[in-house]
Amino acid sequence: MKKMFPARSLAKRFIGLVLMVSMLTMCVGMNDEADAEAAPSGTSEQADPDTVTTKHQVTIDGKKVAYTATAGMMPVTADDNECFIFYTAYTLDGVKDNSERPVTFAYNGGPGSSSEWVHLGFLGPRRVETDEAGEPTEFPSKIVDNENSILDLTDLVFIDPIGTGYSHVGEGVDEAFFSNYQEDLASIGEFIRLYTTKNNRWSSPKYLAGESYGTFRSVALADYLSTNFAMGLNGLMLISNLMDFSILNECTQNDLSYVLLFPSLAASGYYHKVVDKKYQDMELEDFLKEARTFAEEDYQTALFKGERISSSEKESVARKYSELTGLDKDYVVKSNLRVYLLDFCMKLLADKGMMIGRLDSRYTAPLVGKSVEDYDDPSDSVLDASFSAAINQYISEELGYHTDRVYNTLNMKVNMDWTYNSDNQIMDLKDKVNKVMSDNKYLKVWVLGGYYDLATPFCSAEWVYDHVPLQKETRKNLSFKFYQSGHMIYMHQPSLEEFRKDAKEWYAK
């Protein structure tokens, strides 16, 4: 199977897993609001070399929120191998009863990505400043308050997997040992158990928030935590869903992958205003209904026929494909109606000398004679340096955690070494989704995505859960929301603001 690189949390970012192991003693003291006001923002206390706590305030939804930040390294032992996991935790001050206060464990995907994206881009109380479209406002990046953080709704614990962030293996342990589906679950699962125990959070509602490969991890973790520690969860927030590798165009390129990808390709053409005028004048949601209908009916039928398709039918389907995406009809015919994802990224705006992003097709970059072999995702490279500088500065200056270690934002070696302990490398967790949701009637699952995400298409996410045989009552715990953004839905200010409103309702259910 080809190695996957889905998005910022993938593609060079599909790499954001989060090997959560157990780290050293964490000191997340709960203080009342009076104490919070007495301690100036940024004042740090370092009880030991591996844990630092600081006091802060942030304005969320128009209200001031006082909180404690803890940056630390927790030692974890998984299958007799020691590792050290770096985490950043945020707890609301003034909470008297933790049994009423949720805690959410968050990470990115990859495998091989640190949690910097969901941390400083999405959920945390501070974030990298970007404009409405998701571009950094300056370089090096500026860190500002995140008025759309969910810290007022839930405490947050951001986990960096082994080989990412400052997380590392113990002496004499091979890092590749943890570059593995099973050992990832063991280390992260043990970290969550230790954090929950050390901080008296067993009675708290517990949630997992994962992006990209992190969604795959979350479903497997829900089963692991329940099976090994009898730890039930209240919710899974699955951002840019990846649950079945067999339907991803980059992985297997079977006919179904082209059908499920098509509405996202159409959305990309719509965004760049190259679709047929009769569609361009429509609202996006109405246009996507047209794209879905074509994909599920005419397009799927044509692909199913294979070489039995007539020339006239192929021509007709190619014409409609072209009208709905803006891609040249003759190229669609030449591609036998099966346009590979990266070819689409390179060809859609070729007449303008531009290529589009794979993780987020809103982004563009000069084509400058590049071929598919050296395609460099515009939606990936534009943000890497900005977030890398920001996370290093933030942890050291604002959180007061100092180390000589390199903060590894994206570890491609982890990604390339990743194994699944399975003869069948096409991983599929639909059965596990069914199991964890059926076993726990309190488990809510929220599937989120972006219309302009070509790495983990929104229709692929829908298809996965349409094929999980949940009971009618259980299916009520499943919900979906797709935004006018890409793989990282938060790299679009209106989508981030909309998510904040949606999250408030979801946590309250």
Side-chain angles (χ1 to χ4, degrees):
M1 182 184 79
K2 269 175 134 178
K3 284 290 178 179
M4 304 295 303
F5 307 120
R8 201 120 249 80
S9 297
L10 279 300
K12 290 183 179 180
R13 241 143 224 326
F14 209 44
I15 298 185
L17 49 130
V18 160
L19 298 176
M20 314 180 187
V21 235
S22 307
M23 308 187 224
L24 191 104
T25 308
M26 294 169 78
C27 211
V28 181
M30 301 306 290
N31 301 348
D32 59 35
E33 294 177 3
D35 291 337
E37 285 188 53
S41 179
T43 299
S44 65
E45 300 175 11
Q46 188 156 347
D48 58 62
D50 294 307
T51 304
V52 182
T53 61
T54 51
K55 295 290 186 179
H56 307 266
Q57 278 193 346
V58 63
T59 299
I60 301 175
D61 201 19
K63 299 177 182 178
K64 285 188 177 182
V65 175
Y67 65 94
T68 297
T70 301
M73 188 77 72
M74 187 182 287
V76 173
T77 300
D79 292 337
D80 298 324
N81 282 270
E82 185 181 40
C83 56
F84 299 85
I85 291 192
F86 183 75
Y87 66 94
T88 309
Y90 300 97
T91 54
L92 194 69
D93 290 343
V95 175
K96 304 301 182 184
D97 183 5
N98 274 334
S99 66
E100 298 294 325
R101 176 70 177 165
V103 57
T104 299
F105 298 91
Y107 34 80
N108 275 94
S113 172
S114 72
S115 64
E116 65 171 349
W117 304 102
V118 291
H119 184 178
L120 282 187
F122 193 16
L123 304 176
R126 300 276 280 165
R127 72 185 303 265
V128 171
E129 185 178 60
T130 58
D131 60 21
E132 183 174 295
E135 297 277 0
T137 56
E138 56 186 72
F139 187 81
S141 296
K142 182 180 179 181
I143 299 176
V144 297
D145 282 350
N146 182 8
E147 296 183 355
N148 294 294
S149 171
I150 59 172
L151 180 56
D152 60 329
L153 309 177
T154 173
D155 289 338
L156 296 164
V157 183
F158 296 97
I159 307 168
D160 288 334
I162 299 305
T164 76
Y166 295 135
S167 300
H168 60 282
V169 295
E171 186 175 353
V173 178
D174 185 355
E175 185 178 274
F177 176 80
F178 290 99
S179 298
N180 176 288
Y181 165 71
Q182 296 291 352
E183 300 309 329
D184 176 44
L185 298 180
S187 57
I188 298 176
E190 177 65 0
F191 170 85
I192 292 175
R193 184 193 71 81
L194 284 171
Y195 181 91
T196 300
T197 300
K198 290 174 181 290
N199 293 278
N200 301 315
R201 303 307 295 264
W202 275 94
S203 62
S204 299
K206 289 173 281 293
Y207 294 78
L208 303 181
E211 181 178 288
S212 201
Y213 181 84
T215 65
F216 193 85
R217 173 187 297 114
S218 292
V219 168
L221 263 178
D223 183 47
Y224 183 92
L225 293 170
S226 174
T227 301
N228 291 276
F229 309 129
M231 181 185 289
L233 299 175
N234 294 75
L236 303 179
M237 185 188 300
L238 306 179
I239 310 148
S240 300
N241 187 82
L242 169 67
M243 214 55 59
D244 181 352
F245 283 83
S246 73
I247 58 173
L248 294 183
N249 183 261
E250 296 161 292
C251 182
T252 58
Q253 298 182 58
N254 64 39
D255 282 350
L256 181 59
S257 74
Y258 291 99
V259 174
L260 297 176
L261 175 62
F262 181 82
S264 295
L265 301 185
S268 304
Y270 177 93
Y271 179 83
H272 291 290
K273 296 180 170 52
V274 294
V275 302
D276 190 276
K277 188 179 186 305
K278 64 185 175 186
Y279 298 122
Q280 196 68 64
D281 292 340
M282 299 172 69
E283 293 296 322
L284 175 61
E285 295 288 347
D286 293 332
F287 169 71
L288 288 176
K289 289 179 183 177
E290 292 277 345
R292 286 171 182 269
T293 299
F294 168 74
E296 294 175 6
E297 296 177 4
D298 294 353
Y299 187 44
Q300 183 168 215
T301 298
L303 296 187
F304 180 80
K305 289 182 178 180
E307 293 306 309
R308 291 186 296 111
I309 192 172
S310 66
S311 298
S312 61
E313 185 178 1
K314 178 182 284 190
E315 185 77 13
S316 175
V317 170
R319 182 179 302 106
K320 188 67 175 290
Y321 188 117
S322 174
E323 292 175 351
L324 285 165
T325 63
L327 198 63
D328 179 68
K329 178 183 69 68
D330 291 339
Y331 185 78
V332 177
V333 172
K334 181 182 177 182
S335 301
N336 199 25
L337 304 181
R338 297 164 177 83
V339 179
Y340 178 51
L341 170 55
L342 294 188
D343 287 328
F344 182 87
C345 292
M346 302 283 282
K347 296 290 185 180
L348 183 65
L349 302 181
D351 61 339
K352 297 179 175 63
M354 306 294 287
M355 59 182 176
I356 66 171
R358 164 185 161 278
L359 301 175
D360 190 330
S361 61
R362 296 175 302 142
Y363 290 85
T364 61
L367 198 53
V368 291
K370 288 191 174 184
S371 65
V372 172
E373 286 68 30
D374 57 9
Y375 173 80
D376 189 15
D377 192 340
S379 54
D380 193 62
S381 55
V382 72
L383 296 172
D384 275 338
S386 297
F387 271 75
S388 179
I391 193 71
N392 277 276
Q393 185 72 11
Y394 176 70
I395 292 174
S396 175
E397 183 175 298
E398 294 197 27
L399 301 186
Y401 186 91
H402 302 287
T403 178
D404 290 336
R405 288 187 172 275
V406 173
Y407 189 91
N408 200 336
T409 60
L410 181 65
N411 192 330
M412 290 302 296
K413 185 176 187 303
V414 167
N415 181 260
M416 300 306 294
D417 287 345
W418 201 259
T419 58
Y420 291 90
N421 285 2
S422 171
D423 292 334
N424 177 13
Q425 290 294 292
I426 305 300
M427 296 294 286
D428 177 0
L429 292 190
K430 289 196 290 296
D431 286 346
K432 202 168 288 288
V433 170
N434 188 24
K435 181 178 185 296
V436 298
M437 292 190 71
S438 298
D439 288 350
N440 180 359
K441 68 178 182 179
Y442 301 105
L443 181 66
K444 301 179 294 185
V445 175
W446 188 18
V447 180
L448 310 173
Y451 288 131
Y452 306 120
D453 176 9
L454 305 184
T456 56
F458 68 95
C459 277
S460 295
E462 292 176 326
W463 183 90
V464 162
Y465 296 94
D466 285 344
H467 290 77
V468 176
L470 297 170
Q471 295 294 317
K472 185 176 181 180
E473 285 302 308
T474 304
R475 190 167 288 277
K476 291 179 181 178
N477 290 336
L478 176 64
S479 55
F480 298 84
K481 183 59 183 285
F482 301 110
Y483 299 88
Q484 293 187 37
S485 191
H487 193 75
M488 296 180 290
I489 60 175
Y490 41 89
M491 288 292 107
H492 177 238
Q493 187 65 25
S495 293
L496 178 59
E497 294 170 1
E498 190 176 355
F499 161 80
R500 156 74 196 179
K501 295 175 183 176
D502 296 335
K504 193 172 183 178
E505 293 182 9
W506 187 66
Y507 275 97
K509 289 180 180 177

